[in-house]
Amino acid sequence: MPVHNSDIAAIFSKVADLLEIDGANPFRVRAYRNASRTIDDFSRSLADMIANNEDVTKLPGIGKDLADKIKKIVQTGTFPQLKEIESHIPPELRDMMKIAALGPKRVRILYKKLKVSNIEQLEEAAKGRKVRELTGFGQKTEEKIIEEIKHKKKTLELTKLITAEQIAQPLIQHLEKIEGVDKVIAAGSLRRRKEVVGDLDILATCAAGSEIMHRFVNYEDVKQVISQGKTRSTIILKKGFQVDLRVVQQNSYGAALHYFTGSKAHNIAIRKLGQKKNLKINEYGVFRDDTPIGGKTEEEIFASLDLAYIEPELREDRGEIEAAKINQLPHLVTLEDIRGDLHAHTTATDGRLSLEEIAQAAEQRGYEYIAITDHSKHVTMVHGLNAERLLQEIKEIDRLNQKLEGIVLLKGIELDILEDGTLDLPNDVLKHLDLTVCSIHYKFNLSREKQTERIIRAMDNPYFNILGHPTGRLINERRPYEVDIERIIKAARERGCFLEINAHPDRLDLNDIYCKMAKDMGVKIAISTDAHSLKQLDYLRFGIGQARRGWLGPEDVLNTRNLQDLKKLLQRK
Ligand code: DGT
Ligand code: CA
Ligand code: CA
Ligand code: ZN
């Protein structure tokens, strides 16, 4: 197995967490954590670089010591230092750090004082009211821990879309190479581009006598074979992810693809509609009086019901069947419709790319424009820009734009919305910008009323353009803050503001439901990457998936506009 950058990053991140719980020197902890991030963001394979004798100390924050360690990991697939730490710090303690109320210090106390070393034990201790007794904890913290664990349990089973994609791609390639195999496709929630995926459903067609099932259950990453049959097998991968493979006949391919793409609610509604027309619909085809009348393609399934073709992202039984009946489905936005990115960070704050590098990357992606939106000063952790440094950046962008051809850098900022709803920089600085992305990074725990007011007050400022990551959630990690999105959307419409779909796969914020709400209420959405690295500029596709799940067409999206029209929309009266 080749060692991927993500494997090395995962090892370093684990070491950092465990060292931190162990109370190690903070500089050492930070060195591992930064290295983990750098490696994860890096677009070339370190294993390849090392095989070519290239120097990996070129990477920022990677010195000789870490470079040697990377080399060792690439060559052996393991890291002895990690084993050593794990011998006295149980690795499951890391899971406890993901509980919002717990940092490394508290995790250490729980371990040392209560011998709590995993989530189950923590829940037991908290419910047994033992946690509140510890110095620095108290009843509130204990209750918060119980609440967090309850929420975690609900989401624990689900894998982020990007991770599911990373698992699916090599497996599908593996299957495609097998002799006699024709089509291989991921169906299920992955095909519907859901933000989190329970398990992977792969569908294949192949010639008789193909070894596909045998090769599937013997895939190198398999931990356990749950079942194996001629047409259906299920495996669990080493990372704990379940994969179902179904092999179907060519003439059932469309019916099977439709069935296993789901969702279940959509399937049930489709089957009911069939019954009304005296048709039987299942994973083998569409039948009238047991005579097959279609099933080779998905189009045949929909056509047999007099429905327009429904894109996978819409198949949630949220009105798509009714819309398909009267040919009123939206024409969904695609990656090709996008003319530019409206949220990107540079080395001036916590990004990895210079202005020139961003411009070049944007041009390579065929964009017309890209907005530079570094953090503002309130985000001290990343040395956010004050007025003076922002004006400096504006000057640099102006200078660079003079030289650039075919791409325009827009002057922007990711501006903090302060607790009282004011913006982090004065208007006489903001007036020099093309746009602002305004976001909340602090004070997540205000009441719903206060949080909503805070955002609407901010929107009152005429320089407010786009509300960044509108609910602040991190998938599987941090719940959205309490906020009345419907009121926010209404306020945005009245003021000529926009909402963002932050395309980062950890965020995908706005979610699909709110996107549809914004569309229905007439507020346009910016689909933006919030990129901090080259690789993240390509995460736009996750935002596109979310937008499509939210029924958005190109006309509903801000950054499908050409530069001239975009600038008009950003100009508030
Ligand atoms: P997941 O895996 O939880 O993220 O979501 P899905 O949608 O991939 O669900 P999964 O893997 O349980 O099943 C794949 C598809 O198979 C599902 O989307 C629809 C279809 N399916 C599964 N169970 C049923 C069922 O009981 N009735 C019908 N009509 N379809 C089903
Ligand atoms: Ca599934
Ligand atoms: Ca499944
Ligand atoms: Zn942000």
Side-chain angles (χ1 to χ4, degrees), residues 7-39 66 69 73 79 81-86 88-91 93-95 97-98 103-105 107-108:
D7 301 326
I8 305 169
I11 288 176
F12 283 174
S13 155
K14 204 168 177 180
V15 170
D17 285 353
L18 295 179
L19 282 176
E20 199 172 20
I21 296 168
D22 201 18
N25 179 333
F27 290 103
R28 224 177 128 207
V29 173
R30 202 172 311 146
Y32 276 112
R33 194 155 284 146
N34 288 345
S36 170
R37 243 191 79 192
T38 304
I39 293 165
L66 278 168
K69 287 174 171 148
I73 295 172
F79 189 48
Q81 275 96 329
L82 177 59
K83 290 259 149 54
E84 198 279 316
I85 306 166
E86 285 180 348
H88 63 279
I89 299 285
L93 287 177
R94 285 183 85 211
D95 300 337
M97 290 239 287
K98 294 196 188 120
K105 276 202 196 102
V107 170
R108 183 163 67 241

Side-chain angles (χ1 to χ4, degrees), residues 343 345 375 379 414 416 437-441 468-469 500 502 507 530 532:
H343 190 162
H345 296 266
H375 283 289
V379 191
E414 182 175 10
D416 256 58
V437 175
C438 303
S439 311
I440 285 180
H441 293 116
H469 41 75
E500 176 182 81
N502 191 295
R507 291 191 181 271
D530 194 358
H532 288 70

Side-chain angles (χ1 to χ4, degrees), residues 399-437:
R399 206 177 311 137
L400 195 55
N401 271 336
Q402 304 233 309
K403 284 195 290 182
L404 290 171
E405 285 169 30
I407 185 86
V408 173
L409 294 180
L410 296 176
K411 292 168 278 188
I413 187 148
E414 182 175 10
L415 193 57
D416 256 58
I417 300 173
L418 305 182
E419 188 178 357
D420 62 359
T422 54
L423 300 176
D424 194 19
L425 289 170
N427 285 1
D428 65 352
V429 180
L430 302 179
K431 72 178 182 207
H432 298 291
L433 296 170
D434 296 311
L435 84 164
T436 64
V437 175

Side-chain angles (χ1 to χ4, degrees), residues 159 161 163-169 171-172 185-191 197-203 216 233-235 237 241-246 260:
T159 303
L161 182 59
T163 313
E165 212 177 56
Q166 282 163 355
I167 294 169
Q169 269 164 3
L171 176 54
I172 286 175
I185 186 169
S189 47
L190 183 82
R191 183 162 181 247
V197 168
D199 71 357
L200 192 58
D201 306 278
I202 297 181
L203 193 69
F216 175 65
S233 299
T234 299
I235 57 174
L237 297 176
F241 198 59
Q242 178 175 313
V243 189
D244 294 336
L245 172 65
R246 281 146 183 117
F260 292 115

Side-chain angles (χ1 to χ4, degrees), residues 1-4 7 47 73-78 166 170 219-222 237-239:
M1 279 289 277
V3 175
H4 298 292
D7 301 326
I73 295 172
V74 166
Q75 282 160 355
T76 65
T78 60
Q166 282 163 355
Y219 182 56
E220 56 193 351
D221 254 357
V222 171
L237 297 176
K238 286 183 186 137
K239 286 180 179 145

Side-chain angles (χ1 to χ4, degrees), residues 105-106 109-110 113 130-138:
K105 276 202 196 102
R106 281 182 162 168
I109 294 170
L110 286 163
K113 301 276 178 197
K130 294 207 181 97
V131 173
R132 65 176 70 182
E133 315 273 293
L134 298 170
T135 8
F137 281 78

